[in-house]
Amino acid sequence: MIKEQRNLMEEQIAIRRERAEKEKFRIKNIGKHAVYSEFNVLNPATGGDYKVAVRGFAAGDNYCSCPDFRKNILGTCKHIEAVLLHLNKTVSKRRLAGKFTPRITEVYLHYAKELTIRITFSEEATSRLKKLAGRFFSPDGVLRENMLGRFPEFMQGVEALDDRVVIYRDVMDYVEKELDRKQGEWEETKYRRQLKRGTFSKGLLKANLYPYQKEGIVFAACRRRCILGDDMGLGKTLQAIGATQLLIQTKGIEKFLIVCPASLKYQWKREIEKFTDHRPIVVEGNIVARRRLFRSDVKGFLITTYESARMDVEEIMGWSPELIILDEAQRIKNWETKTAKRIKTLKSPYTFVLTGTPMENRIDELFSIVEYVDDRRLGPAFKFLADHTVYDPECKSRVIGYKDLDVIREKLSPILLRRSKNEVLRQLPARTDNNYFVPMTPEQYSLYAEQQEIVAKIVHKWRRYGFLSELDHHRLMCALANMRMICDSTFLFDKETNISPKLDELKSIIRELVEQDRKVVLFSQWTRMLDKVAEVVLKEGLQYVYLHGGVPSAKRGEIIRKFWEDDSVKVFLSSDAGGVGLNLQAGSAVINVDIPWNPAVLEQRVGRVHRMGQERNVQVVNLVTRGSIEERILDLLGNKKALFDGVFEGTCDMVDFKTSAKSVFRELVDEMAGVAPQAPQPEDEIEPAAAQAAAGPGEIAEPLRPAATSSAGAIIGFEPLFRIGRDIFVALTSAVSGAATPDAPNSTARIVTDQNTGARQMNITLPPDDVLKNSLKSLGQFLISIGE
């Protein structure tokens, strides 16, 4: 194991040396010595500009201001390697062989597996300085561990001497951070005693706090930089506001930035105003208005969105926030996205990261979020992934599982607080989940079987060759999405018919829930399905509000307010744009018209209603089409949740993908290819006994019913574009040959003659915007794939 880790480190150093040779850095010596000096390293390709200090030729001797050097524990980076390569080419071997002796005594931070403060004396260092340093540093120049808290004494002693000593800025930052951390530990001990006595939090917030919420406030405020990862609905927002109040009292901080999804800006504003005396400001307007606000040196809470913050990084850093709160921080889980990269450049002494789903599918998502809070907590990414990822022996690039999750839990314990609803269940109202199973109609089955046949052919090719081309992958996803849409309504598939037993069932379900004096929050991943549900709601004589991704953020607050305050509004229709962060406790019933692939999305939906502050028991209804892809999705959701629980709930130390994620998906596709639901007859009726058997233990037996499905983001394929091109070709060929245009009433391209001028024109009927957008995307990906 030790040998493997050493090889891994050597491999990573070699990668950085290779990059140093390939990239065209501009290197300039900005110090006094030819070798042991400071260098400016500029990368013209990226604009990156870094400072390198050379003190030797061994790993760890030198310093670079780049982020990679600070956190990679290698003791080097490509910029340092580039400078060393430059010196080997431009400086004589005699000079390179000389020993490093600084002109001025240096106190610097040594970056390796552990950070240490070190001192190197100049030739002119006096005996008094060396004697003073001997009280704090070991003979080899390393600050003794028990002397960190007394480092200010060393600085005061240096000031009283005549010696010239430079203490680098990163040393000061490190000492300040460590002393503040130890102060936080002392405060946390004090507050926990108050929690036991019941005297903590008096006058902190205008709210009655539950014990676990008080613990969360203490944890966040005293740990300084942390992740609040409680289950959705347990009041992370309130805990973050309370922790901010505590830091205001203890640290005197004055500037707080909240970064959240656009749909949550005004919710944050309302809750801050409700629980404190602060008057937060929502950052809005064009870049000029936002720039003016940040340059005004305003104090208090500023609330902005991820999209705006990404563009305003420089202005925000000029404003110098003392606390940054990232809400719904899964927005930075993918470290390759521009949003994640830009948001992670925002710096502040204190940081609260709020997410009910710190990891949804992969441990690299977890790493990306943790990195923002503490970029050395999990070590460098290359080592973290190597230590915890299990690869297929036959294909080293294929991940088949994760291991040693207990080690991850232990490393995260100082910075991550997560409580599940089960842990605080006595403080929450009850939640009842019911899966309502529905059959297909013959019309649905006919369309479904066609798509299933497409899946079968692609799976046959998959089995035969062991892989899928990019085009086949798109076709597979398209067919699976179509199968799910057909389970909802045939209208989602053909835009003409609207055969949907689900809509029929919704009439009675919604009516029954409203008669129980409940407000209903209903989710679907397709706005077209929500449009059809809206028609049903209106026919039932009920009023509703409707939130989807196309609703401007400025109007969302009014939609939510109306649902809360208007007693006549009984239904809240929402796409998954409404499943993130919103407080919808005015509702006490959740209907999932379709089941998403991701378990986190499903819990986000329910968590909008079943959360702290909910005073009623919550009824959850999931509509699932019997014998279809939707039943298998329920199994898939359970397997994906295993990884999440393994890391955060401590239920296991290893997750094997043979029973999870990708292999479950392959199993699902395999089943969809080979097993079809029994084609129902028009006169089919479900006997009560059959209904009870299908319902399963703990579920309410209902007449079996059809189900719903997937997302506006599903890949539709580029078949619509192909059809338009075909019709254009047919029409033009007919026009050139002088033949009459074929009688094709469904043609998307038709040639017509202007009655006034006699000129011929072509009319083209375009598909809906979402279909056209996804078709163009699929076609572009296909063209890229065949060009590679």
Side-chain angles (χ1 to χ4, degrees):
M1 182 67 178
I2 295 177
K3 182 179 179 181
E4 290 177 0
Q5 290 190 359
R6 185 169 62 248
N7 291 340
L8 177 64
M9 304 294 271
E10 291 172 353
E11 177 186 327
Q12 289 295 320
I13 292 174
I15 289 173
R16 285 155 178 81
R17 285 176 179 160
E18 183 179 352
R19 290 176 179 170
E21 292 177 352
K22 289 183 177 180
E23 298 186 26
K24 306 298 182 182
F25 293 114
R26 294 177 185 171
I27 300 171
K28 182 180 179 181
N29 190 333
I30 55 176
K32 303 293 185 182
H33 196 276
V35 177
Y36 303 112
S37 182
E38 290 190 357
F39 296 83
N40 185 80
V41 181
L42 174 66
N43 188 340
T46 64
D49 193 353
Y50 303 102
K51 297 294 186 293
V52 169
V54 175
R55 303 187 185 97
F57 290 85
D61 286 348
N62 308 308
Y63 166 81
C64 180
S65 62
C66 76
D68 178 55
F69 175 75
R70 185 178 62 252
K71 62 191 178 185
N72 68 26
I73 74 173
L74 298 172
T76 190
C77 67
K78 65 180 181 180
H79 307 107
I80 291 175
E81 294 299 325
V83 171
L84 297 181
L85 183 65
H86 170 75
L87 292 175
N88 275 304
K89 291 180 179 179
T90 59
V91 179
S92 67
K93 292 183 179 180
R94 181 180 61 81
R95 282 201 167 189
L96 291 175
K99 183 181 178 182
F100 169 60
T101 304
R103 294 186 308 106
I104 302 174
T105 297
E106 294 184 344
V107 180
Y108 57 93
L109 203 56
H110 186 272
Y111 292 81
K113 187 173 183 179
E114 301 294 335
L115 294 177
T116 55
I117 298 175
R118 300 192 178 189
I119 188 170
T120 301
F121 297 104
S122 67
E123 292 180 350
E124 290 80 20
T126 65
S127 59
R128 292 177 63 197
L129 175 61
K130 292 180 179 179
K131 183 178 179 180
L132 172 67
R135 292 166 46 198
F136 298 89
F137 293 83
S138 65
D140 57 350
V142 179
L143 183 72
R144 293 185 176 93
E145 188 174 347
N146 63 342
M147 287 294 172
L148 182 64
R150 297 177 57 188
F151 190 79
E153 290 182 35
F154 170 73
M155 295 172 60
Q156 293 172 2
V158 168
E159 291 178 3
L161 300 177
D162 294 331
D163 291 70
R164 298 178 63 194
V165 179
V166 58
I167 302 176
Y168 285 100
R169 180 66 216 178
D170 58 342
V171 173
M172 303 301 298
D173 291 341
Y174 175 72
V175 170
E176 183 178 338
K177 178 181 176 182
E178 286 299 299
L179 293 181
D180 190 44
R181 183 181 63 81
K182 290 190 176 294
Q183 172 70 16
E185 290 177 355
W186 178 84
E187 291 173 357
E188 187 169 358
T189 301
K190 179 184 71 172
Y191 293 138
R192 288 194 180 280
R193 286 198 294 264
Q194 294 179 5
L195 286 171
K196 287 184 178 180
R197 294 196 300 264
T199 59
F200 175 76
S201 80
K202 290 183 177 178
L204 188 66
L205 293 173
K206 301 174 185 177
N208 294 320
L209 299 170
Y210 291 95
Y212 81 89
Q213 291 177 318
K214 296 177 183 179
E215 292 171 0
I217 289 172
V218 169
F219 180 91
C222 296
R223 301 299 171 97
R224 313 308 202 202
R225 302 181 64 84
C226 69
I227 300 172
L228 290 177
D230 286 345
D231 260 354
M232 287 164 287
L234 295 187
K236 293 185 290 294
T237 300
L238 183 59
Q239 293 175 63
I241 295 172
T244 303
Q245 287 289 94
L246 195 53
L247 285 175
I248 292 171
Q249 294 178 3
T250 58
K251 307 301 293 185
I253 63 174
E254 298 179 312
K255 297 180 178 180
F256 335 112
L257 179 73
I258 297 168
V259 184
C260 64
S263 58
L264 301 183
K265 290 187 300 184
Y266 285 94
Q267 181 168 298
W268 268 96
K269 185 176 187 295
R270 285 195 305 272
E271 298 210 2
I272 293 170
E273 291 173 341
K274 178 179 178 181
F275 298 123
T276 75
D277 293 326
H278 292 280
R279 291 296 173 261
I281 298 173
V282 176
V283 180
E284 292 183 306
N286 58 31
I287 191 169
V288 175
R290 301 198 305 269
R291 183 176 297 168
R292 187 183 304 117
L293 176 62
F294 285 117
R295 291 180 179 178
S296 68
D297 199 37
V298 62
K299 293 179 173 59
F301 286 94
L302 295 189
I303 306 170
T304 189
T305 66
Y306 281 94
E307 291 72 20
S308 293
R310 186 180 73 180
M311 295 184 285
D312 297 341
V313 167
E314 290 74 17
E315 300 301 327
I316 291 172
M317 294 312 299
W319 182 61
S320 300
E322 295 161 285
L323 166 67
I324 293 177
I325 300 175
L326 297 189
D327 190 17
E328 300 295 341
Q330 56 270 27
R331 294 290 184 93
I332 62 169
K333 71 181 182 180
N334 185 346
W335 59 45
E336 293 298 328
T337 64
K338 291 180 180 179
T339 295
K341 290 179 179 178
R342 291 284 286 172
I343 293 298
K344 286 183 179 183
T345 62
L346 295 174
K347 305 297 180 185
S348 61
Y350 308 112
T351 295
F352 303 154
V353 168
L354 279 54
T355 173
T357 55
M359 181 181 67
E360 294 184 339
N361 299 317
R362 308 192 311 268
I363 59 172
D364 56 333
E365 297 174 350
L366 173 66
F367 182 92
S368 182
I369 292 175
V370 171
E371 184 181 44
Y372 181 67
V373 176
D374 183 346
D375 58 11
R376 292 176 64 91
R377 172 62 49 182
L378 295 177
F382 66 82
K383 186 175 185 301
F384 175 76
L385 295 177
D387 288 347
H388 298 287
T389 305
V390 181
Y391 295 96
D392 188 335
E394 298 179 359
C395 179
K396 296 298 182 182
S397 62
R398 182 183 301 155
V399 177
I400 61 173
Y402 295 117
K403 62 181 179 179
D404 297 331
L405 303 183
D406 56 329
V407 176
I408 299 177
R409 283 196 297 273
E410 183 178 353
K411 287 181 178 179
L412 291 181
S413 60
I415 67 163
L416 185 142
L417 180 65
R418 174 171 174 76
R419 279 78 56 88
S420 68
K421 286 180 179 174
N422 289 335
E423 294 177 61
V424 293
L425 201 55
R426 288 174 296 179
Q427 303 172 36
L428 285 172
R431 165 180 164 180
T432 304
D433 290 62
N434 298 304
N435 295 325
Y436 282 13
F437 293 87
V438 295
M440 284 188 189
T441 66
E443 294 86 355
Q444 282 178 303
Y445 174 75
S446 176
L447 297 173
Y448 187 94
E450 291 176 2
Q451 298 302 310
Q452 190 174 41
E453 185 178 352
I454 295 173
V455 172
K457 290 179 180 178
I458 297 173
V459 169
H460 177 72
K461 185 185 294 188
W462 192 355
R463 291 171 180 158
R464 182 176 181 182
Y465 298 108
F467 69 93
L468 289 179
S469 67
E470 192 73 16
L471 176 59
D472 280 335
H473 178 263
H474 288 329
R475 292 178 61 221
L476 175 63
M477 297 307 295
C478 173
L480 290 173
N482 287 340
M483 291 164 69
R484 300 181 68 201
M485 285 190 286
I486 292 165
C487 288
D488 260 4
S489 167
T490 56
F491 178 79
L492 274 63
F493 179 73
D494 62 19
K495 315 299 184 298
E496 295 175 357
T497 61
N498 183 30
I499 299 169
S500 174
K502 268 188 185 173
L503 291 174
D504 296 333
E505 286 295 337
L506 280 172
K507 294 177 185 177
S508 58
I509 293 173
I510 293 174
R511 187 189 310 116
E512 181 180 344
L513 291 171
V514 170
E515 287 174 355
Q516 296 173 8
D517 196 28
R518 294 179 182 271
K519 287 197 173 190
V520 178
V521 180
L522 185 146
F523 288 98
S524 174
Q525 291 179 295
W526 280 294
T527 56
R528 291 196 302 273
M529 188 61 179
L530 291 172
D531 292 339
K532 293 301 178 184
V533 174
E535 295 174 5
V536 170
V537 173
L538 287 177
K539 287 180 181 178
E540 291 298 305
L542 302 173
Q543 293 188 38
Y544 68 89
V545 289
Y546 187 0
L547 177 62
H548 56 81
V551 176
S553 58
K555 295 183 178 180
R556 296 185 179 191
E558 174 60 22
I559 291 174
I560 296 167
R561 185 201 64 76
K562 191 171 183 180
F563 182 65
W564 270 89
E565 299 177 4
D566 190 338
D567 290 337
S568 66
V569 175
K570 299 297 185 182
V571 181
F572 189 107
L573 303 180
S574 180
S575 68
D576 284 314
V580 179
L582 298 179
N583 292 339
L584 300 175
Q585 301 100 311
S588 59
V590 178
I591 299 177
N592 293 303
V593 178
D594 36 66
I595 307 298
W597 293 100
N598 195 324
V601 174
L602 186 62
E603 284 306 306
Q604 282 171 349
R605 292 176 173 185
V606 178
R608 300 310 105 224
V609 173
H610 187 243
R611 58 193 298 119
M612 195 54 60
Q614 176 60 259
E615 298 178 352
R616 300 186 60 178
N617 66 311
V618 175
Q619 181 82 21
V620 180
V621 175
N622 301 317
L623 296 180
V624 184
T625 299
R626 179 165 56 98
S628 76
I629 187 174
E630 291 190 318
E631 278 196 282
R632 292 297 293 124
I633 289 175
L634 290 177
D635 296 335
L636 178 62
L637 292 179
N639 279 285
K640 289 176 75 172
K641 191 174 185 296
L643 176 58
F644 188 94
D645 289 346
V647 175
F648 300 108
E649 308 298 344
T651 56
C652 59
D653 292 330
M654 181 168 180
V655 172
D656 186 351
F657 282 178
K658 291 177 181 177
T659 59
S660 183
K662 292 182 180 178
S663 65
V664 174
F665 174 74
R666 295 182 66 167
E667 179 186 345
L668 180 149
V669 173
D670 218 38
E671 284 195 19
M672 290 304 100
V675 181
Q678 182 179 358
Q681 301 302 313
E683 64 274 17
D684 270 4
E685 292 187 7
I686 307 300
E687 296 294 331
Q692 185 59 60
E699 296 170 354
I700 295 178
E702 293 286 334
L704 301 186
R705 343 166 167 189
T709 35
S710 175
S711 116
I715 298 173
I716 306 301
F718 55 83
E719 288 85 351
L721 292 181
F722 175 81
R723 181 183 176 191
I724 292 172
R726 178 200 63 193
D727 292 346
I728 291 174
F729 178 79
V730 171
L732 288 175
T733 302
S734 301
V736 170
S737 65
T741 302
D743 184 14
N746 293 323
S747 176
T748 59
R750 299 182 63 80
I751 293 178
V752 297
T753 302
D754 189 300
Q755 298 298 322
N756 297 321
T757 65
R760 287 186 295 177
Q761 301 172 341
M762 181 178 288
N763 292 339
I764 301 174
T765 303
L766 296 177
D769 289 349
D770 56 345
V771 175
L772 182 61
K773 178 180 177 182
N774 286 321
S775 298
L776 289 169
K777 178 180 177 182
S778 297
L779 178 59
Q781 291 171 333
F782 170 67
L783 293 174
I784 291 171
S785 69
I786 63 175
E788 292 178 342

